[in-house]
Amino acid sequence: SHNHQHHKHNDMGKKKQLEEDEDSSEEESVSVYDSDDPPSAVESSDDDNEGSSEDEEEEEEDDDGFEDQGSSSSEGELYSDVEEESDVEVLDLNYDDAPRAWKPTMTGKRDTTGKAKKKSTETEEEEEEPREEQPVMDSAKLESARSLLMTDDLSSDDEDPDGIQNRIGRVPLHWYDEHDHIGYDVHGSKVVKSVSNKNRIDQALEADDAMQNGGNDRFKIYDALNDRDVQLTERQLEIIRRIQSGAYAHPEHDGNMDMIDYFSGVDKEISGLGSNRYEPKARFQPSKWEKLQVRRLLHRLKTGKITMDFLNGKVRDMNDLKKDKEPKQGQFLLWTGDEEDELSMRRGPEYIPPPKVAPPGHAESYNPSDEYLPTEEELKEWEEMDPSERPHGHFIPKKFNNLRSVGAYEHSVRERFERCLDLYLCPRKMKRRLNIDPESLVPQLPRASDLRPYPTTKCIEYICDDDAIVVVRCLSVSPNGQYLASGAADGKVRVWEVSTARCVQVWDLNDVLQAHASAAAGASDADKKDEEEDDVDNGDDKEAAAKPVKPVVSLEWNPNSDHHCLLAAIGSCAIVLATGTGSADDVEMTEALLSASATPAKIKNTSTAKAVQWIPVPQSASGKAKVMSKHAKISGPVCILRTKFEMAGVKWHRRGDYFVTVCPNAGAAAVLIHQLSKANSQQPFKKVKGEAQCACFHPSKPFLFVANKQHIRIYHLVQQTMVKRLLSGCRWISSLDVHPSGDHVIAGSLDRRMIWFDLDLSSTPYKTLKYHEKALRSVKFHPRYPLMASSSDDGNVHIFHSMVYSDLMRNPLIVPVKILRGHSVVNKLGVLATAFHPTQPWIFSAGADGKIILFHDL
């Protein structure tokens, strides 16, 4: 009740104060008019303030025509009284007297250039007269108000640089009544409630007391979202008062701007209107209509209907030119040659001129030589022959003393009639000759001298100590290029030193196989030992005579430089040989690799166990082989892989642990993969299509290439699927090799072809090269240089420059650069094996003549 009486008392005081202010406002009312001069520059006089009643009526009429945006004078006085008592500097302004809007910069219509039109002198005088009589408010107060509201304040209620304000959004605050906080800030921390627990009534009473007592607290408002009191600034108070009085918040805003007809009265090019628009797409594309017109003009120009003079504008009408060119009637040229053009231009079948008659020879002369005159025997023979078979037809050469003695030709009508029959009955066809230079059809290849280095000259020849000629069937070079291994038809593996051509090691693999066979049959032969003692000599002779000699068909040096071992295929066995070379570290790596083969474990797969058998070879059985390195302990055969069928080839994997063997007649077990470090084997295929001829591994991917007589199949060993089948088009594939990049494959065949496959293009050959005269025996890629070689039974080795580019858009460059000769053909066999040096552009070749030749790039 006390609070209610207190508010009622305040309301009564305010009403009295408002009545007093109304009386004073009538005497001190001020009007402001928009004029060309600023408000501060307008001068008022006492006479203007004491105007007559007629002037006051005109002012009321002008006020009625202007939008009323102010409030009553009582509210202005109410706030002005409060401001006088406070320490805060607030302007004492009556908003009824304040201008609704400042003077606009430009008024009226605009001309075509975008500038404001000047008013006429008559209208200016009419407008200036009433403005001189009207008073203006105090200029100092007006300028201070403008300066306060004209400040560029970019602050916002939403700005929170420290991030401590509440950020719960539009969540109702009564949800947090039971909690000690009212929300969370940007950092996720709680916004704690204030200690004071005041309700709305207490806050309203405090605000009223603050208004009566004065001070800064009277302009505080309560922020319920953040639970704090906010002090209003002078600018905010000024904006609130203008809004309460019904005026615009900013005095610069003009609510009744004059319409400016930009688009109808302004030149767009001068004013720049619409210059920020994007250009239409049609302006950047050629005109289809112009294209059609140009096409029509070109067609008429080609057909001769118009000329360039017509296009350039020199001639207006083409009919004028035609009239000038037309000859006068009654005059024409007889021998112009236009009849041929008319024949070619006329419609119908093409005109074919008849063949010309052959010109007369010496026999048709009236006084020919005696050699052209026929004898009586020749005349009898000609009479028996058909006229078409005679050398001169119906004509018989005769000799006359002079030209007057020559009579009429009796067969002229007949020959002319036969020619007419030939032209009428025999079909003719027009053949156009193409004048093409044959050299232009040959592709432009670089010169061979620009593609060096490549082997060119015979440098070293490796000769066996045996007197008989031994056919060398396979070659292999060590990874460091220091040693060369060769396999011959006598079953011996020889190791040569490349630089000196010295044979440093020889192993007879037939002896190894014989020792193993005799050891296996030792138990069965013990019972028959007594029976054979009587015929020891005869038995030895028969055994020596019956001892089979099998050739070494394939030989491969381990590609890993840390593993010093060889793999040789002889008969139905593959033998692993320790070379006895290398440093101390290499010897340890080699012994670790070969340790498992000394005591091989049993193969788990039953089908593979039936196809292959691992047999260790004791050092006593291999004989006392010399060791080429002081660190090596073993040298010679280490283990034997025995199969049931004859082997055709062996090939290492690039890491030097796995290798593959090929037995063409073994059926499903034709291709076997072995792991030397574990002495284990596996059979990858259940069945093989065709007879496998050779196989090799991909240099970087788990792919296996298997070639039969006509196709090459690529298998993925991890996924156990066939990736691609290459169609060679050959009758019998004899050799296979893969490029170091893995994207290209070459194959040699017995029908003289070398096929190049690009695995990224298609399954058909990219190139088919036919440079040899006989069957190909070996094809090889150089591991480092862009070189390729092929050997054949013609005794030659062809060297090719084979550049494979990293750019997939460029095709490989294959250029034949050199033919190496040095081998002779023996029993229709030529060069049987080739091998490139691993680090130099050299090549080794071996043939049926028993020679091993090294070609250098000299």
Side-chain angles (χ1 to χ4, degrees), residues 119-128:
K119 297 180 180 180
S120 59
T121 55
E122 297 177 359
T123 56
E124 289 178 358
E125 293 176 357
E126 292 175 359
E127 291 181 359
E128 288 177 358

Side-chain angles (χ1 to χ4, degrees), residues 447-457 801 817 856-858:
R447 294 183 300 176
S449 58
D450 298 338
L451 303 177
R452 303 189 73 136
Y454 54 84
T456 57
T457 308
H801 176 83
V817 292
H856 274 205
D857 58 329
L858 298 179

Side-chain angles (χ1 to χ4, degrees), residues 481-658:
Q482 184 179 1
Y483 298 103
L484 170 68
S486 64
D490 57 356
K492 293 181 181 180
V493 175
R494 296 175 176 84
V495 178
W496 310 80
E497 193 173 9
V498 173
S499 58
T500 62
R502 181 171 60 93
C503 183
V504 296
Q505 190 67 268
V506 180
W507 293 293
D508 192 350
L509 301 185
N510 284 312
D511 295 343
V512 177
L513 295 178
Q514 188 66 24
H516 170 66
S518 60
S524 59
D525 292 344
D527 298 336
K528 302 179 181 179
K529 189 174 183 181
D530 296 337
E531 298 178 1
E532 295 179 356
E533 287 179 357
D534 297 337
D535 300 330
V536 174
D537 297 335
N538 297 332
D540 293 339
D541 297 338
K542 293 180 180 179
E543 184 178 357
K547 180 180 178 181
V549 178
K550 296 182 180 180
V552 180
V553 296
S554 181
L555 184 66
E556 286 289 333
W557 205 295
N558 196 312
N560 194 337
S561 59
D562 297 335
H563 302 158
H564 293 263
C565 59
L566 280 168
L567 183 63
I570 177 173
S572 61
C573 300
I575 301 177
V576 180
L577 303 170
T579 59
T581 58
S583 62
D585 296 338
D586 296 342
V587 169
E588 291 181 3
M589 295 289 291
T590 305
E591 291 179 355
L593 179 67
L594 301 176
S595 60
S597 61
T599 57
K602 187 178 180 181
I603 300 175
K604 297 180 180 180
N605 193 349
T606 56
S607 60
T608 308
K610 293 179 181 179
V612 65
Q613 181 183 2
W614 288 74
I615 303 171
V617 177
Q619 290 298 318
S620 58
S622 60
K624 295 181 179 179
K626 58 181 178 181
V627 179
M628 289 179 284
S629 176
K630 63 180 181 178
H631 303 287
K633 298 179 182 179
I634 58 174
S635 177
V638 178
C639 66
I640 301 174
L641 280 77
R642 182 179 294 276
T643 60
K644 296 181 180 180
F645 298 91
E646 295 289 330
M647 281 193 182
V650 292
K651 202 75 174 180
W652 283 100
H653 189 264
R654 62 181 180 86
R655 294 185 179 178
D657 189 13
Y658 291 89

Side-chain angles (χ1 to χ4, degrees), residues 765-781:
Y766 167 68
K767 289 285 185 181
T768 301
L769 307 176
K770 296 180 182 180
Y771 289 97
H772 291 278
E773 297 177 358
K774 293 185 180 180
L776 271 69
R777 295 293 178 178
S778 174
V779 290
K780 291 289 183 181
F781 276 117

Side-chain angles (χ1 to χ4, degrees), residues 603 605 608 612 658 671-675 680-684:
I603 300 175
N605 193 349
T608 308
V612 65
Y658 291 89
V671 180
L672 297 176
I673 299 176
H674 314 275
Q675 186 176 7
N680 191 16
S681 302
Q682 54 182 335
Q683 179 180 334

Side-chain angles (χ1 to χ4, degrees), residues 471-475 734-735 750 772 774-780 789-798 819-826 828-835 843-853 855:
V471 178
V472 182
R473 303 196 53 174
C474 49
L475 292 174
S734 60
S735 56
L750 298 181
H772 291 278
K774 293 185 180 180
L776 271 69
R777 295 293 178 178
S778 174
V779 290
K780 291 289 183 181
S790 62
S791 60
S792 173
D793 284 339
D794 56 4
N796 299 330
V797 178
H798 287 245
I819 299 176
L820 303 177
R821 297 180 176 90
H823 294 274
S824 59
V825 179
V826 179
K828 297 182 180 181
L829 297 177
V831 183
L832 301 179
T834 55
I843 189 171
F844 301 88
S845 63
D849 55 356
K851 297 179 182 179
I852 302 175
I853 302 175
F855 294 92

